Amino acid sequence: MTPGGTPLVAVAHGSRDPRAAATVARLMDAVRALRPDVPVHTSFLDHCPPAPGPVLDGLADAGAASAVVLPLLLTAAYHSKHDVPAVLRAADSRLDLVTARTLGPHPLLTAALERRLREVDVEIGDPGTAVVLTAAGSSDPTANATIAGLARRWRRRGWRGVVAAYASATRPTPGEAVAALRDAGVPRVVVASYFLAPGFFTDKVRDEALAAGAAAVSPALGDAPELAELVVYRYERALMDARLGLAAAV
């Protein structure tokens, strides 16, 4: 694969909420600004077009020889382990495809989380503040463990505490986590939203957390500059690993 100009096909989860696709579009615009030499295409696994298959078919029809498929997913779970590989198996055999890693975990995501907390007037590392790091949740225990590990590492920034919570599939819920910290005497509890784009889960988390006593809830990561940088990094690393014949690496 040739690094310069190899098309990037981003694969997002997709949502019926139009805010999600609009957010992904802004993120991809930021990626194009960082790598104007790379043709950047967006696709969705569900709920809204275009699906990855037609995008890849269109690249092959236009004469492309290769592409990087990059999951716009924050954690490796069912979609990255099953849905994306299924897309590749069904893809046009004319294309030489390589799959990049999911976006997380990576330190740039922590930086993006902190950016979004600052936007809701949270002082980063405040020893009087505890953070509830809230992700979507998964039936895959390794994905949930990844979020718990991120929470443990983030506590080193100086927070009163950082705990993981999940919007679905497992517990604690964000409301339960906020209430437990408040009951334990923590003076200020905030919620960091570990979501790519706004939608049903972000709205649910915000309402539930505020009702439980959270002082602030950060917005979705969206088109934070750190995410655009991370997309470019995953793209470039996937190409490098492909040239070296390596499996995708952190």
Side-chain angles (χ1 to χ4, degrees):
M1 285 193 173
T2 303
T6 300
L8 184 164
V9 179
V11 182
H13 180 276
S15 171
R16 293 185 179 89
D17 190 318
R19 294 175 296 170
T23 299
V24 171
R26 290 194 299 272
L27 174 58
M28 292 299 99
D29 284 342
V31 171
R32 292 184 185 97
L34 291 175
R35 285 296 305 265
D37 60 315
V38 174
V40 176
H41 303 268
T42 305
S43 64
F44 301 91
L45 290 171
D46 203 0
H47 301 306
C48 53
V55 173
L56 293 169
D57 290 346
L59 286 173
D61 291 343
S66 60
V68 174
V69 176
L70 193 153
L72 286 182
L73 304 169
L74 298 179
T75 309
Y78 184 86
H79 293 300
S80 64
K81 295 177 181 179
H82 298 276
D83 291 342
V84 173
V87 165
L88 296 184
R89 288 193 297 270
D92 197 308
S93 60
R94 291 174 291 170
L95 289 174
D96 180 15
L97 297 176
V98 63
T99 307
R101 285 180 57 94
T102 54
L103 297 179
H106 193 277
L108 282 168
L109 285 173
T110 306
L113 285 165
E114 292 183 351
R115 172 186 293 274
R116 293 303 188 220
L117 283 173
R118 289 189 189 97
E119 291 173 357
V120 290
D121 299 322
V122 175
E123 179 185 348
I124 303 305
D126 175 23
T129 297
V131 180
V132 176
L133 174 63
T134 302
S138 173
S139 58
D140 185 336
T142 60
N144 299 327
T146 296
I147 303 303
L150 173 58
R152 288 192 298 270
R153 292 189 296 275
W154 201 12
R155 186 174 182 178
R156 299 170 192 161
R157 286 285 273 165
W159 303 105
R160 175 75 168 262
V162 182
V163 299
Y166 309 92
S168 67
T170 190
R171 300 174 79 172
T173 67
E176 289 170 342
V178 169
L181 289 166
R182 295 287 292 156
D183 290 345
V186 177
R188 190 166 191 251
V189 180
V190 300
V191 171
S193 298
Y194 192 73
F195 298 97
L196 180 67
F200 172 77
F201 277 154
T202 55
D203 292 347
K204 174 185 175 184
V205 166
R206 180 177 180 81
D207 292 346
E208 181 180 323
L210 292 177
V217 179
S218 66
L221 299 174
D223 59 345
E226 295 84 0
L227 259 72
E229 292 176 30
L230 183 52
V231 169
V232 170
Y233 169 77
R234 291 298 190 202
Y235 166 83
E236 293 174 346
R237 186 59 187 265
L239 285 172
M240 181 186 302
D241 290 341
R243 293 199 305 273
L244 296 174
L246 302 175
V250 175

